[in-house]
């Protein structure tokens, strides 16, 4: 639920307690839109992705560029992967279809995923103020408990982290469910194609997820 700029520059030194009970990612203020450090709890799904991305002990950036060793992936690379490069004006650049086209999805941007995550969290019943904290949006004073003491500040910070962790863990669990479960009951047709309860030909979400993962890896290795 972070912004692309905040996430893609993730450095090994910014990760804490990955094997413990309270893993988190500290985004330094130089990468944060509002110039303040973000302490973002990490769900078990996020920890799995991070560990998979860190393929060597000497790799410093979590999402290292496959083209420029020792550098993080450029934020434009995510948009290019989704959109493709067919409309690029640079004649020397290879023209490829994006993931949206390959998977038959309506075009969307990396930033749209923040809204999707927020909507998903809302559908799961989490408080808007909790979701806003995960997005690093300013919360209304009406929903913030103002305690002008050192003890109060520590209390608020601890409470904030618990609320953020609850939201992010909930979203991660829902993503696992979506990927694992088929959309509706799937029955086998005589022709060998699978159809769901609506009668529309399709494959389960798990197969789509595998296709998505494989296509991302193929594009990243080009």
């Amino acid at each position: 639920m972070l912004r692309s700029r905040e996430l893609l520059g993730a450095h090994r030194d910014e990760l804490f307690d990955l094997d413990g009970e309270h893993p988190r990612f500290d985004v330094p203020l130089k990468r944060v839109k509002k110039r303040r450090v973000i302490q973002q709890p990490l769900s078990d799904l996020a920890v799995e992705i991070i560990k998979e991305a860190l393929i060597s002990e000497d790799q410093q950036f979590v999402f290292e560029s496959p083209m420029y060793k020792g550098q993080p992936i450029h934020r434009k690379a995510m948009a290019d992967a989704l959109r493709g490069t067919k409309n690029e004006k640079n004649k020397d650049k290879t023209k490829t279809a994006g993931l949206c086209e390959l998977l038959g999805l309506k075009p969307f941007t990396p930033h749209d995923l923040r809204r999707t995550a927020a909507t998903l969290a809302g559908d799961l019943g989490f408080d808007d103020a909790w979701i806003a904290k995960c997005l690093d949006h300013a919360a209304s004073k009406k929903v913030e408990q103002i305690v002008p003491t050192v003890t109060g500040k520590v209390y608020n910070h601890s409470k904030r982290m618990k609320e953020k962790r609850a939201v992010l863990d909930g979203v991660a669990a829902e993503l696992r469910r979506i990927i694992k479960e088929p959309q509706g009951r799937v029955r086998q047709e005589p022709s060998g194609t699978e159809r769901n309860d609506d009668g529309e030909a399709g494959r389960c979400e798990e197969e789509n997820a595998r296709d998505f993962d494989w296509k991302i890896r193929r594009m990243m290795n080009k």
Side-chain angles (χ1 to χ4, degrees), residues 89-108:
K89 295 180 180 179
N90 187 346
K91 295 181 180 180
D92 296 327
K93 191 165 186 177
T94 304
K95 304 298 187 291
T96 58
L99 291 171
C100 291
E101 181 180 342
L102 290 171
L103 297 177
L105 302 174
K106 291 182 178 180
F108 65 92

Side-chain angles (χ1 to χ4, degrees), residues 26-209:
D26 287 2
V27 187
L29 58 85
K30 65 181 179 181
R31 289 207 312 273
V32 179
K33 181 178 180 181
K34 297 179 182 179
R35 292 296 184 267
R36 62 188 179 203
V37 174
I38 297 176
Q39 287 193 328
Q40 194 80 329
L42 297 172
S43 66
D44 59 348
L45 179 59
V47 171
E48 285 181 21
I49 293 171
I50 288 171
K51 288 184 174 181
E52 183 177 346
L54 290 170
I55 58 177
S56 66
E57 290 294 330
D58 63 343
Q59 180 180 332
Q60 297 304 307
F61 289 101
V62 177
F63 305 107
E64 186 176 89
S65 169
M67 298 179 64
Y68 304 103
K69 186 173 176 60
Q71 297 295 322
I73 292 176
H74 193 278
R75 60 181 299 185
K76 191 174 181 290
M78 289 181 64
D80 285 346
L82 292 172
R83 182 179 59 240
T85 57
K86 286 185 175 181
N87 297 320
E88 279 283 344
K89 295 180 180 179
N90 187 346
K91 295 181 180 180
D92 296 327
K93 191 165 186 177
T94 304
K95 304 298 187 291
T96 58
L99 291 171
C100 291
E101 181 180 342
L102 290 171
L103 297 177
L105 302 174
K106 291 182 178 180
F108 65 92
T109 68
H111 195 78
D112 289 332
L113 296 177
R114 275 168 57 85
R115 286 189 283 269
T116 301
T119 300
L120 186 59
D123 290 344
L124 291 172
F126 289 106
D127 189 274
D128 287 348
W130 294 19
I131 298 170
K133 291 167 187 173
C134 293
L135 296 167
D136 191 43
H137 285 171
S140 168
K141 291 183 179 180
K142 293 181 181 179
V143 297
E144 286 284 5
Q145 182 176 355
I146 308 300
V147 186
T149 65
V150 173
T151 302
K153 289 180 180 178
V154 172
Y155 166 78
N156 278 344
H157 179 265
S158 176
K159 182 171 180 285
R160 212 165 34 240
M161 290 294 284
K162 289 179 181 178
E163 293 169 351
K164 290 169 71 173
R165 190 174 297 281
V167 173
L168 296 170
D169 284 347
V171 170
E174 182 65 5
L175 288 175
R176 288 187 186 278
R177 185 195 68 77
I178 292 171
I179 293 172
K180 184 177 180 180
E181 292 186 3
Q183 285 188 329
R185 291 176 300 170
V186 178
R187 62 179 182 271
Q188 193 72 28
E189 293 292 315
S191 62
T193 60
E194 292 179 338
R195 292 181 178 271
N196 57 27
D197 287 342
D198 296 328
E200 297 173 347
R203 293 173 298 180
C204 70
E205 287 289 339
E206 185 175 2
E207 291 179 12
N208 286 339

